[in-house]
Amino acid sequence: MQHAVRSRAAIRTGLTPVPRPRTPSVASLMDADAVRVLHRAARALLEDLPDLTDRLVALLEEQEPAYRTALTRDPSATWQEAHRSLRHSVASLLDPRGARDAARRCSWRIGAARAEQGLPLDALLHAFRLGGSLVWQRLVEETSRTAPEDVRLLVHVAADVWNFVDEHCTLVADAYRQTEWQLGRRRENRARLLAAGLLDGTTRIADLPEAAQALGLPEQGRYVVVALAGGPSARPDAARAAAVPPGTRVHWHAGADADYGIVLTGADDGLPEPHSPFPGLRIGVGSPVDGLAAVGDARRLADTALEICPLAGGTVRLADRLPAALVVTSPELGRALAERVLGPLLRLEAADREVLLDTLTTWLDCDGSAQRAGERLYCHRNTVLNRLRRCEQLTGRSLARPADLVEISLALTARQVLHD
């Protein structure tokens, strides 16, 4: 009787099934057929590329207003651009590896060129997507015309076609943004150079129209320059806002020692009184001048006003401090005047010196009224008069003599504004 169950040895030594040789999958065959169909249609598109270009240009003119303007301005250049882009795109369908770099360079150049021309990025991306849609539509049309039964195979390469379109949309957007950034930097640098030339007074007359356009200011107008120094370096915008009222047309330029605002003023020939909200912020407001050509003079006037500002901070309008301006424009003469007129006072003991100088300054500020000066100094008017007589004795000048009074006033101003 035969055993119903084979031995373990028999099981172990049983034959192992031999795998059958692999054959190409149905999907692989379909992909190969799809590529064949794609290449056949793409070659037909290359042969009829001018017509394809005409169709794309017509679509752009119909659907994209920005391209209508470009076509009106230079139709040949726009046609050539579309033709190059389509040629590289269709060539990439035939030889993806060999044509890839040339296609990418073409798209990058188009993105950069359109950024320089100011064509909106949305319009450019729309044009690339229209081109991709048109190529796909023509592939389907050509296949339907020559081999309708193969149209279904194009589905297998559709993703590759649209991935190519997406890749080049990204590429052209990157080129556009990079070029736009570079153009912005160049414009900023050019505006900075033009503003510096205006403030230095070195701008050529022939460059004034360009400067006006770059700075957004009219060539003819009434201008004041505002100079800022000190204050919080971390908040330059806040300092500038304090110096110039909101809504005022102004171009700011950061100088080595101060910030300068070129301000277009109204018919009243000036600005509202600026305020210095930060400790140490000094604001100097020059006098009005006519036209951008005179901004260099306005800057020098603003620098003079800034020199008069106290080191602790404050605001000075040059028009309100013209005697002080005379002093700071010739500091050597100002120091000589202070020494000649106030020398005996300045060599007194510190406490005595400051009392007399303070009394003399306050009396002048009170228009020569000893009564009002005494009220401000918290002393009797006779005390003020006694101190004034002592000043006259030490300086050898009479406060009743106009010429002496002018010298004393200018000497006091020189001591106040010449900080060193």
Side-chain angles (χ1 to χ4, degrees), residues 384-405:
V384 172
L385 293 173
N386 289 335
R387 292 174 183 174
L388 294 177
R389 277 193 291 271
R390 191 177 174 203
C391 289
E392 289 178 318
Q393 292 168 358
L394 289 169
T395 61
R397 285 166 172 77
S398 171
L399 295 177
R401 189 180 301 122
D404 289 353
L405 192 59

Side-chain angles (χ1 to χ4, degrees), residues 50-60 79 134 137-138 141:
D51 179 67
L52 186 65
T53 304
D54 288 341
R55 291 178 63 174
L56 177 55
V57 170
L59 282 173
L60 291 173
W79 193 94
L134 182 60
Q137 179 184 342
R138 289 288 289 112
E141 289 175 357

Side-chain angles (χ1 to χ4, degrees), residues 95-109:
D95 183 11
R97 291 185 179 179
R100 179 176 186 272
D101 290 342
R104 289 175 63 87
R105 286 194 298 271
C106 177
S107 294
W108 184 274
R109 285 194 293 267

Side-chain angles (χ1 to χ4, degrees), residues 320-400:
D320 299 335
R321 300 288 299 277
L322 292 178
L326 290 174
V327 171
V328 298
T329 53
S330 184
E332 294 81 6
L333 290 178
R335 293 187 187 94
L337 179 65
E339 173 59 30
R340 178 179 177 83
V341 175
L342 303 177
L345 278 172
L346 299 177
R347 287 186 283 274
L348 294 173
E349 292 292 333
D352 199 12
R353 178 183 68 230
E354 294 306 320
V355 166
L356 292 179
L357 289 174
D358 191 27
T359 300
L360 190 54
T361 301
T362 304
W363 179 76
L364 288 171
D365 289 342
C366 293
D367 299 325
S369 170
Q371 181 67 37
R372 288 164 53 198
E375 293 171 358
R376 187 175 297 183
L377 294 169
Y378 301 103
C379 63
H380 195 274
R381 65 181 299 273
N382 290 339
T383 303
V384 172
L385 293 173
N386 289 335
R387 292 174 183 174
L388 294 177
R389 277 193 291 271
R390 191 177 174 203
C391 289
E392 289 178 318
Q393 292 168 358
L394 289 169
T395 61
R397 285 166 172 77
S398 171
L399 295 177

